[in-house]
Amino acid sequence: MNTVASLAKAYSLASVWHARQRRKGKAREPYIVHLAEVTDLVTSATAGRDIDLTIAALLHDAIEDAKITGAQIEAEFGGDVAQLVLEVTDDKSLPYAERKRLQVETTPHKSARAKMIKLSDKTSNLRSLAKSPPPWSFERKLEYVSWSRRVVAGARGVSVELEALFDAAAAEAERSLC
Ligand code: ZN
């Protein structure tokens, strides 16, 4: 498959796999909006030079949220894409708080490409917190922003552009809470 065909297939599968999933914010946007935003961020930051990274960004929540397996991703897009998605997937058998703690602890040890997905994911989530806030308490939203900052502290050094976009999104999310 060539690059354009792979990308078209990844968009199609992501939209089907996440068809019934919506964002947590009050606008309840279809989940593909988040996946497309993360993909756009990662792809712009790498000038479209890393097709596997672009596809992995599009599929980054497929294992965690849509019960797709690494083997399914590998069969469609190859081992490199599957490995990247696995690298940014939380272990859902662990309790929520433990998964959140592990993200902070493990992100510094991830590959540069996984860090780019992490940076873009957190940027998208914080933009969403500001634009379409979920029905959470002030304290929970504030903790979410500060947790995102702690995860991203371990993902710095891979893209000046993505870091600047994250910093702007975090500042905007904090302003929106005041
Ligand atoms: Zn995500």
Side-chain angles (χ1 to χ4, degrees):
M1 245 191 307
N2 71 26
T3 302
V4 175
S6 300
L7 193 55
K9 180 165 202 172
Y11 264 97
S12 175
L13 285 174
S15 67
V16 171
W17 289 345
H18 295 274
R20 281 189 290 275
Q21 192 180 356
R22 292 185 170 265
R23 304 219 73 188
K24 293 187 187 79
K26 65 170 190 253
R28 309 277 301 150
E29 300 98 330
Y31 206 72
I32 191 79
V33 173
H34 165 65
L35 303 174
E37 182 178 29
V38 172
T39 303
D40 184 25
L41 287 167
V42 163
T43 306
S44 295
T46 51
R49 289 196 196 93
D50 188 342
I51 180 64
D52 283 355
L53 178 60
T54 287
I55 291 172
L58 195 46
L59 305 180
H60 77 274
D61 284 323
I63 296 174
E64 209 169 292
D65 295 334
K67 298 194 168 71
I68 301 301
T69 63
Q72 274 172 280
I73 294 174
E74 182 167 356
E76 296 288 354
F77 304 104
D80 186 37
V81 173
Q83 197 46 52
L84 267 169
V85 176
L86 284 164
E87 209 184 336
V88 296
T89 297
D90 285 354
D91 179 352
K92 276 246 174 143
S93 68
L94 298 172
Y96 179 85
E98 177 68 357
R99 297 202 312 263
K100 297 283 150 186
R101 192 186 66 73
L102 276 174
Q103 281 204 35
V104 177
E105 207 175 282
T106 61
T107 296
H109 311 295
K110 294 193 183 292
S111 68
R113 293 155 94 209
K115 286 177 179 175
M116 284 190 213
I117 297 175
K118 284 271 178 200
L119 269 162
S120 304
D121 190 33
K122 301 303 179 235
T123 300
S124 170
N125 289 341
L126 290 185
R127 284 178 178 173
S128 192
L129 188 84
K131 266 190 311 216
S132 170
W136 296 347
S137 66
F138 171 80
E139 288 73 21
R140 183 166 176 200
K141 287 181 208 164
L142 198 63
E143 170 50 26
Y144 187 83
V145 179
S146 92
W147 169 77
S148 301
R149 284 191 181 279
R150 293 198 297 278
V151 174
V152 161
R156 291 188 184 269
V158 292
S159 167
V160 174
E161 182 185 333
L162 289 177
E163 284 185 35
L165 291 171
F166 172 82
D167 290 338
E172 181 59 34
E174 275 156 359
R175 265 195 304 277
S176 78
L177 297 180
C178 299

PDB file of all heavy atoms in Angstrom, residues 124-152:
ATOM      1  N   SER A 124      -4.270  18.334  22.736  1.00  0.00           N
ATOM      2  CA  SER A 124      -5.659  18.202  22.280  1.00  0.00           C
ATOM      3  C   SER A 124      -6.611  18.129  23.477  1.00  0.00           C
ATOM      4  O   SER A 124      -7.667  18.777  23.496  1.00  0.00           O
ATOM      5  CB  SER A 124      -5.792  16.949  21.405  1.00  0.00           C
ATOM      6  OG  SER A 124      -7.145  16.658  21.146  1.00  0.00           O
ATOM      7  N   ASN A 125      -6.240  17.353  24.497  1.00  0.00           N
ATOM      8  CA  ASN A 125      -7.126  17.204  25.657  1.00  0.00           C
ATOM      9  C   ASN A 125      -7.285  18.513  26.425  1.00  0.00           C
ATOM     10  O   ASN A 125      -8.377  18.833  26.897  1.00  0.00           O
ATOM     11  CB  ASN A 125      -6.591  16.107  26.586  1.00  0.00           C
ATOM     12  CG  ASN A 125      -6.762  14.723  25.983  1.00  0.00           C
ATOM     13  OD1 ASN A 125      -7.566  14.534  25.066  1.00  0.00           O
ATOM     14  ND2 ASN A 125      -6.004  13.756  26.465  1.00  0.00           N
ATOM     15  N   LEU A 126      -6.197  19.286  26.541  1.00  0.00           N
ATOM     16  CA  LEU A 126      -6.302  20.546  27.282  1.00  0.00           C
ATOM     17  C   LEU A 126      -7.033  21.610  26.470  1.00  0.00           C
ATOM     18  O   LEU A 126      -7.771  22.425  27.023  1.00  0.00           O
ATOM     19  CB  LEU A 126      -4.915  21.048  27.705  1.00  0.00           C
ATOM     20  CG  LEU A 126      -4.250  20.203  28.798  1.00  0.00           C
ATOM     21  CD1 LEU A 126      -2.937  20.842  29.243  1.00  0.00           C
ATOM     22  CD2 LEU A 126      -5.158  20.014  30.007  1.00  0.00           C
ATOM     23  N   ARG A 127      -6.867  21.611  25.156  1.00  0.00           N
ATOM     24  CA  ARG A 127      -7.650  22.523  24.314  1.00  0.00           C
ATOM     25  C   ARG A 127      -9.135  22.241  24.514  1.00  0.00           C
ATOM     26  O   ARG A 127      -9.957  23.143  24.618  1.00  0.00           O
ATOM     27  CB  ARG A 127      -7.299  22.329  22.842  1.00  0.00           C
ATOM     28  CG  ARG A 127      -5.972  22.948  22.436  1.00  0.00           C
ATOM     29  CD  ARG A 127      -5.717  22.638  20.974  1.00  0.00           C
ATOM     30  NE  ARG A 127      -4.493  23.239  20.479  1.00  0.00           N
ATOM     31  CZ  ARG A 127      -3.989  22.993  19.273  1.00  0.00           C
ATOM     32  NH1 ARG A 127      -4.616  22.160  18.446  1.00  0.00           N
ATOM     33  NH2 ARG A 127      -2.880  23.586  18.882  1.00  0.00           N
ATOM     34  N   SER A 128      -9.432  20.963  24.577  1.00  0.00           N
ATOM     35  CA  SER A 128     -10.814  20.538  24.745  1.00  0.00           C
ATOM     36  C   SER A 128     -11.356  20.921  26.120  1.00  0.00           C
ATOM     37  O   SER A 128     -12.509  21.335  26.256  1.00  0.00           O
ATOM     38  CB  SER A 128     -10.825  19.027  24.554  1.00  0.00           C
ATOM     39  OG  SER A 128     -12.079  18.565  24.429  1.00  0.00           O
ATOM     40  N   LEU A 129     -10.519  20.798  27.140  1.00  0.00           N
ATOM     41  CA  LEU A 129     -10.933  21.188  28.499  1.00  0.00           C
ATOM     42  C   LEU A 129     -11.343  22.659  28.526  1.00  0.00           C
ATOM     43  O   LEU A 129     -12.296  23.052  29.199  1.00  0.00           O
ATOM     44  CB  LEU A 129      -9.790  20.934  29.477  1.00  0.00           C
ATOM     45  CG  LEU A 129     -10.117  21.113  30.962  1.00  0.00           C
ATOM     46  CD1 LEU A 129     -10.746  19.846  31.517  1.00  0.00           C
ATOM     47  CD2 LEU A 129      -8.860  21.438  31.764  1.00  0.00           C
ATOM     48  N   ALA A 130     -10.606  23.498  27.790  1.00  0.00           N
ATOM     49  CA  ALA A 130     -10.914  24.933  27.753  1.00  0.00           C
ATOM     50  C   ALA A 130     -12.164  25.222  26.919  1.00  0.00           C
ATOM     51  O   ALA A 130     -13.027  26.002  27.305  1.00  0.00           O
ATOM     52  CB  ALA A 130      -9.710  25.707  27.196  1.00  0.00           C
ATOM     53  N   LYS A 131     -12.262  24.575  25.762  1.00  0.00           N
ATOM     54  CA  LYS A 131     -13.344  24.878  24.804  1.00  0.00           C
ATOM     55  C   LYS A 131     -14.663  24.219  25.163  1.00  0.00           C
ATOM     56  O   LYS A 131     -15.741  24.771  24.946  1.00  0.00           O
ATOM     57  CB  LYS A 131     -12.943  24.363  23.405  1.00  0.00           C
ATOM     58  CG  LYS A 131     -12.278  25.388  22.527  1.00  0.00           C
ATOM     59  CD  LYS A 131     -12.152  24.864  21.101  1.00  0.00           C
ATOM     60  CE  LYS A 131     -11.566  23.486  21.055  1.00  0.00           C
ATOM     61  NZ  LYS A 131     -10.701  23.072  20.028  1.00  0.00           N
ATOM     62  N   SER A 132     -14.576  22.983  25.632  1.00  0.00           N
ATOM     63  CA  SER A 132     -15.789  22.194  25.873  1.00  0.00           C
ATOM     64  C   SER A 132     -15.590  21.406  27.166  1.00  0.00           C
ATOM     65  O   SER A 132     -15.336  20.206  27.157  1.00  0.00           O
ATOM     66  CB  SER A 132     -16.005  21.248  24.688  1.00  0.00           C
ATOM     67  OG  SER A 132     -17.018  20.312  24.966  1.00  0.00           O
ATOM     68  N   PRO A 133     -15.663  22.124  28.317  1.00  0.00           N
ATOM     69  CA  PRO A 133     -15.284  21.485  29.580  1.00  0.00           C
ATOM     70  C   PRO A 133     -16.200  20.320  29.964  1.00  0.00           C
ATOM     71  O   PRO A 133     -17.409  20.397  29.773  1.00  0.00           O
ATOM     72  CB  PRO A 133     -15.398  22.624  30.606  1.00  0.00           C
ATOM     73  CG  PRO A 133     -16.150  23.712  29.949  1.00  0.00           C
ATOM     74  CD  PRO A 133     -16.076  23.524  28.480  1.00  0.00           C
ATOM     75  N   PRO A 134     -15.619  19.249  30.512  1.00  0.00           N
ATOM     76  CA  PRO A 134     -16.437  18.141  31.028  1.00  0.00           C
ATOM     77  C   PRO A 134     -17.098  18.569  32.346  1.00  0.00           C
ATOM     78  O   PRO A 134     -16.656  19.545  32.959  1.00  0.00           O
ATOM     79  CB  PRO A 134     -15.411  17.032  31.255  1.00  0.00           C
ATOM     80  CG  PRO A 134     -14.103  17.722  31.412  1.00  0.00           C
ATOM     81  CD  PRO A 134     -14.177  19.020  30.688  1.00  0.00           C
ATOM     82  N   PRO A 135     -18.106  17.840  32.768  1.00  0.00           N
ATOM     83  CA  PRO A 135     -18.822  18.218  34.000  1.00  0.00           C
ATOM     84  C   PRO A 135     -18.057  17.823  35.251  1.00  0.00           C
ATOM     85  O   PRO A 135     -18.539  17.038  36.058  1.00  0.00           O
ATOM     86  CB  PRO A 135     -20.150  17.448  33.871  1.00  0.00           C
ATOM     87  CG  PRO A 135     -19.799  16.240  33.075  1.00  0.00           C
ATOM     88  CD  PRO A 135     -18.682  16.633  32.149  1.00  0.00           C
ATOM     89  N   TRP A 136     -16.851  18.334  35.406  1.00  0.00           N
ATOM     90  CA  TRP A 136     -16.005  18.005  36.546  1.00  0.00           C
ATOM     91  C   TRP A 136     -15.965  19.194  37.503  1.00  0.00           C
ATOM     92  O   TRP A 136     -16.214  20.330  37.108  1.00  0.00           O
ATOM     93  CB  TRP A 136     -14.562  17.730  36.101  1.00  0.00           C
ATOM     94  CG  TRP A 136     -14.363  16.540  35.219  1.00  0.00           C
ATOM     95  CD1 TRP A 136     -15.253  15.533  34.954  1.00  0.00           C
ATOM     96  CD2 TRP A 136     -13.175  16.232  34.472  1.00  0.00           C
ATOM     97  NE1 TRP A 136     -14.683  14.622  34.091  1.00  0.00           N
ATOM     98  CE2 TRP A 136     -13.424  15.021  33.783  1.00  0.00           C
ATOM     99  CE3 TRP A 136     -11.925  16.854  34.330  1.00  0.00           C
ATOM    100  CZ2 TRP A 136     -12.462  14.425  32.956  1.00  0.00           C
ATOM    101  CZ3 TRP A 136     -10.976  16.266  33.511  1.00  0.00           C
ATOM    102  CH2 TRP A 136     -11.243  15.061  32.838  1.00  0.00           C
ATOM    103  N   SER A 137     -15.578  18.920  38.757  1.00  0.00           N
ATOM    104  CA  SER A 137     -15.382  20.006  39.724  1.00  0.00           C
ATOM    105  C   SER A 137     -14.166  20.838  39.306  1.00  0.00           C
ATOM    106  O   SER A 137     -13.303  20.362  38.542  1.00  0.00           O
ATOM    107  CB  SER A 137     -15.128  19.421  41.114  1.00  0.00           C
ATOM    108  OG  SER A 137     -13.893  18.733  41.122  1.00  0.00           O
ATOM    109  N   PHE A 138     -14.106  22.058  39.854  1.00  0.00           N
ATOM    110  CA  PHE A 138     -12.948  22.926  39.625  1.00  0.00           C
ATOM    111  C   PHE A 138     -11.650  22.189  39.989  1.00  0.00           C
ATOM    112  O   PHE A 138     -10.678  22.198  39.237  1.00  0.00           O
ATOM    113  CB  PHE A 138     -13.108  24.206  40.460  1.00  0.00           C
ATOM    114  CG  PHE A 138     -11.897  25.075  40.489  1.00  0.00           C
ATOM    115  CD1 PHE A 138     -11.608  25.931  39.429  1.00  0.00           C
ATOM    116  CD2 PHE A 138     -11.025  25.032  41.581  1.00  0.00           C
ATOM    117  CE1 PHE A 138     -10.469  26.731  39.455  1.00  0.00           C
ATOM    118  CE2 PHE A 138      -9.881  25.825  41.604  1.00  0.00           C
ATOM    119  CZ  PHE A 138      -9.609  26.673  40.541  1.00  0.00           C
ATOM    120  N   GLU A 139     -11.655  21.530  41.140  1.00  0.00           N
ATOM    121  CA  GLU A 139     -10.447  20.850  41.628  1.00  0.00           C
ATOM    122  C   GLU A 139     -10.011  19.739  40.661  1.00  0.00           C
ATOM    123  O   GLU A 139      -8.827  19.556  40.413  1.00  0.00           O
ATOM    124  CB  GLU A 139     -10.673  20.222  43.016  1.00  0.00           C
ATOM    125  CG  GLU A 139     -10.775  21.211  44.155  1.00  0.00           C
ATOM    126  CD  GLU A 139     -12.090  21.980  44.171  1.00  0.00           C
ATOM    127  OE1 GLU A 139     -13.090  21.495  43.563  1.00  0.00           O
ATOM    128  OE2 GLU A 139     -12.129  23.075  44.772  1.00  0.00           O
ATOM    129  N   ARG A 140     -10.988  19.022  40.137  1.00  0.00           N
ATOM    130  CA  ARG A 140     -10.635  17.916  39.234  1.00  0.00           C
ATOM    131  C   ARG A 140     -10.034  18.463  37.940  1.00  0.00           C
ATOM    132  O   ARG A 140      -9.062  17.904  37.415  1.00  0.00           O
ATOM    133  CB  ARG A 140     -11.872  17.050  38.944  1.00  0.00           C
ATOM    134  CG  ARG A 140     -11.491  15.877  38.074  1.00  0.00           C
ATOM    135  CD  ARG A 140     -12.535  14.793  38.000  1.00  0.00           C
ATOM    136  NE  ARG A 140     -12.091  13.770  37.049  1.00  0.00           N
ATOM    137  CZ  ARG A 140     -12.875  12.887  36.459  1.00  0.00           C
ATOM    138  NH1 ARG A 140     -14.163  12.875  36.761  1.00  0.00           N
ATOM    139  NH2 ARG A 140     -12.387  12.022  35.606  1.00  0.00           N
ATOM    140  N   LYS A 141     -10.618  19.553  37.441  1.00  0.00           N
ATOM    141  CA  LYS A 141     -10.071  20.143  36.206  1.00  0.00           C
ATOM    142  C   LYS A 141      -8.645  20.661  36.453  1.00  0.00           C
ATOM    143  O   LYS A 141      -7.750  20.459  35.623  1.00  0.00           O
ATOM    144  CB  LYS A 141     -10.969  21.282  35.721  1.00  0.00           C
ATOM    145  CG  LYS A 141     -12.273  20.797  35.125  1.00  0.00           C
ATOM    146  CD  LYS A 141     -13.084  21.989  34.640  1.00  0.00           C
ATOM    147  CE  LYS A 141     -14.551  21.697  34.680  1.00  0.00           C
ATOM    148  NZ  LYS A 141     -15.393  22.877  34.594  1.00  0.00           N
ATOM    149  N   LEU A 142      -8.466  21.334  37.595  1.00  0.00           N
ATOM    150  CA  LEU A 142      -7.149  21.873  37.922  1.00  0.00           C
ATOM    151  C   LEU A 142      -6.121  20.739  38.046  1.00  0.00           C
ATOM    152  O   LEU A 142      -4.998  20.838  37.532  1.00  0.00           O
ATOM    153  CB  LEU A 142      -7.246  22.647  39.252  1.00  0.00           C
ATOM    154  CG  LEU A 142      -6.122  23.609  39.554  1.00  0.00           C
ATOM    155  CD1 LEU A 142      -6.064  24.726  38.503  1.00  0.00           C
ATOM    156  CD2 LEU A 142      -6.311  24.219  40.944  1.00  0.00           C
ATOM    157  N   GLU A 143      -6.521  19.652  38.685  1.00  0.00           N
ATOM    158  CA  GLU A 143      -5.631  18.495  38.845  1.00  0.00           C
ATOM    159  C   GLU A 143      -5.313  17.871  37.476  1.00  0.00           C
ATOM    160  O   GLU A 143      -4.189  17.438  37.231  1.00  0.00           O
ATOM    161  CB  GLU A 143      -6.264  17.468  39.804  1.00  0.00           C
ATOM    162  CG  GLU A 143      -5.554  16.115  39.879  1.00  0.00           C
ATOM    163  CD  GLU A 143      -4.040  16.169  40.118  1.00  0.00           C
ATOM    164  OE1 GLU A 143      -3.534  17.152  40.699  1.00  0.00           O
ATOM    165  OE2 GLU A 143      -3.346  15.208  39.691  1.00  0.00           O
ATOM    166  N   TYR A 144      -6.302  17.876  36.585  1.00  0.00           N
ATOM    167  CA  TYR A 144      -6.068  17.307  35.252  1.00  0.00           C
ATOM    168  C   TYR A 144      -5.008  18.118  34.503  1.00  0.00           C
ATOM    169  O   TYR A 144      -4.127  17.547  33.854  1.00  0.00           O
ATOM    170  CB  TYR A 144      -7.384  17.261  34.457  1.00  0.00           C
ATOM    171  CG  TYR A 144      -7.236  16.527  33.149  1.00  0.00           C
ATOM    172  CD1 TYR A 144      -7.307  15.138  33.102  1.00  0.00           C
ATOM    173  CD2 TYR A 144      -6.982  17.217  31.964  1.00  0.00           C
ATOM    174  CE1 TYR A 144      -7.131  14.455  31.910  1.00  0.00           C
ATOM    175  CE2 TYR A 144      -6.802  16.545  30.765  1.00  0.00           C
ATOM    176  CZ  TYR A 144      -6.883  15.164  30.741  1.00  0.00           C
ATOM    177  OH  TYR A 144      -6.700  14.491  29.555  1.00  0.00           O
ATOM    178  N   VAL A 145      -5.097  19.450  34.614  1.00  0.00           N
ATOM    179  CA  VAL A 145      -4.102  20.296  33.937  1.00  0.00           C
ATOM    180  C   VAL A 145      -2.726  20.054  34.556  1.00  0.00           C
ATOM    181  O   VAL A 145      -1.730  19.887  33.839  1.00  0.00           O
ATOM    182  CB  VAL A 145      -4.464  21.808  34.014  1.00  0.00           C
ATOM    183  CG1 VAL A 145      -3.390  22.647  33.328  1.00  0.00           C
ATOM    184  CG2 VAL A 145      -5.833  22.071  33.380  1.00  0.00           C
ATOM    185  N   SER A 146      -2.670  19.978  35.880  1.00  0.00           N
ATOM    186  CA  SER A 146      -1.348  19.842  36.493  1.00  0.00           C
ATOM    187  C   SER A 146      -0.785  18.431  36.234  1.00  0.00           C
ATOM    188  O   SER A 146       0.418  18.269  36.005  1.00  0.00           O
ATOM    189  CB  SER A 146      -1.372  20.249  37.968  1.00  0.00           C
ATOM    190  OG  SER A 146      -1.609  19.155  38.790  1.00  0.00           O
ATOM    191  N   TRP A 147      -1.638  17.424  36.197  1.00  0.00           N
ATOM    192  CA  TRP A 147      -1.175  16.075  35.816  1.00  0.00           C
ATOM    193  C   TRP A 147      -0.651  16.070  34.373  1.00  0.00           C
ATOM    194  O   TRP A 147       0.413  15.499  34.094  1.00  0.00           O
ATOM    195  CB  TRP A 147      -2.328  15.059  35.982  1.00  0.00           C
ATOM    196  CG  TRP A 147      -2.027  13.728  35.379  1.00  0.00           C
ATOM    197  CD1 TRP A 147      -1.219  12.744  35.907  1.00  0.00           C
ATOM    198  CD2 TRP A 147      -2.496  13.235  34.109  1.00  0.00           C
ATOM    199  NE1 TRP A 147      -1.169  11.672  35.034  1.00  0.00           N
ATOM    200  CE2 TRP A 147      -1.937  11.939  33.936  1.00  0.00           C
ATOM    201  CE3 TRP A 147      -3.335  13.753  33.109  1.00  0.00           C
ATOM    202  CZ2 TRP A 147      -2.186  11.163  32.796  1.00  0.00           C
ATOM    203  CZ3 TRP A 147      -3.582  12.979  31.986  1.00  0.00           C
ATOM    204  CH2 TRP A 147      -3.017  11.706  31.834  1.00  0.00           C
ATOM    205  N   SER A 148      -1.367  16.730  33.470  1.00  0.00           N
ATOM    206  CA  SER A 148      -0.911  16.796  32.069  1.00  0.00           C
ATOM    207  C   SER A 148       0.467  17.444  31.993  1.00  0.00           C
ATOM    208  O   SER A 148       1.334  17.002  31.232  1.00  0.00           O
ATOM    209  CB  SER A 148      -1.893  17.606  31.210  1.00  0.00           C
ATOM    210  OG  SER A 148      -3.174  17.023  31.261  1.00  0.00           O
ATOM    211  N   ARG A 149       0.655  18.500  32.782  1.00  0.00           N
ATOM    212  CA  ARG A 149       1.967  19.166  32.812  1.00  0.00           C
ATOM    213  C   ARG A 149       3.056  18.219  33.312  1.00  0.00           C
ATOM    214  O   ARG A 149       4.180  18.232  32.813  1.00  0.00           O
ATOM    215  CB  ARG A 149       1.915  20.407  33.716  1.00  0.00           C
ATOM    216  CG  ARG A 149       1.211  21.619  33.101  1.00  0.00           C
ATOM    217  CD  ARG A 149       1.480  22.831  34.001  1.00  0.00           C
ATOM    218  NE  ARG A 149       0.847  24.055  33.536  1.00  0.00           N
ATOM    219  CZ  ARG A 149       1.331  24.849  32.568  1.00  0.00           C
ATOM    220  NH1 ARG A 149       2.447  24.513  31.944  1.00  0.00           N
ATOM    221  NH2 ARG A 149       0.697  25.957  32.240  1.00  0.00           N
ATOM    222  N   ARG A 150       2.714  17.392  34.291  1.00  0.00           N
ATOM    223  CA  ARG A 150       3.715  16.452  34.833  1.00  0.00           C
ATOM    224  C   ARG A 150       4.069  15.385  33.791  1.00  0.00           C
ATOM    225  O   ARG A 150       5.228  15.009  33.650  1.00  0.00           O
ATOM    226  CB  ARG A 150       3.198  15.793  36.131  1.00  0.00           C
ATOM    227  CG  ARG A 150       3.042  16.759  37.295  1.00  0.00           C
ATOM    228  CD  ARG A 150       2.957  16.051  38.650  1.00  0.00           C
ATOM    229  NE  ARG A 150       1.799  15.179  38.805  1.00  0.00           N
ATOM    230  CZ  ARG A 150       0.564  15.580  39.146  1.00  0.00           C
ATOM    231  NH1 ARG A 150       0.318  16.869  39.359  1.00  0.00           N
ATOM    232  NH2 ARG A 150      -0.426  14.712  39.284  1.00  0.00           N
ATOM    233  N   VAL A 151       3.072  14.900  33.050  1.00  0.00           N
ATOM    234  CA  VAL A 151       3.362  13.905  32.003  1.00  0.00           C
ATOM    235  C   VAL A 151       4.253  14.538  30.933  1.00  0.00           C
ATOM    236  O   VAL A 151       5.275  13.959  30.523  1.00  0.00           O
ATOM    237  CB  VAL A 151       2.059  13.367  31.355  1.00  0.00           C
ATOM    238  CG1 VAL A 151       2.395  12.443  30.183  1.00  0.00           C
ATOM    239  CG2 VAL A 151       1.198  12.630  32.380  1.00  0.00           C
ATOM    240  N   VAL A 152       3.868  15.743  30.500  1.00  0.00           N
ATOM    241  CA  VAL A 152       4.595  16.400  29.404  1.00  0.00           C
ATOM    242  C   VAL A 152       6.014  16.803  29.820  1.00  0.00           C
ATOM    243  O   VAL A 152       6.915  16.839  28.976  1.00  0.00           O
ATOM    244  CB  VAL A 152       3.766  17.582  28.851  1.00  0.00           C
ATOM    245  CG1 VAL A 152       4.629  18.548  28.068  1.00  0.00           C
ATOM    246  CG2 VAL A 152       2.635  17.039  27.968  1.00  0.00           C
TER     247      VAL A 152
END
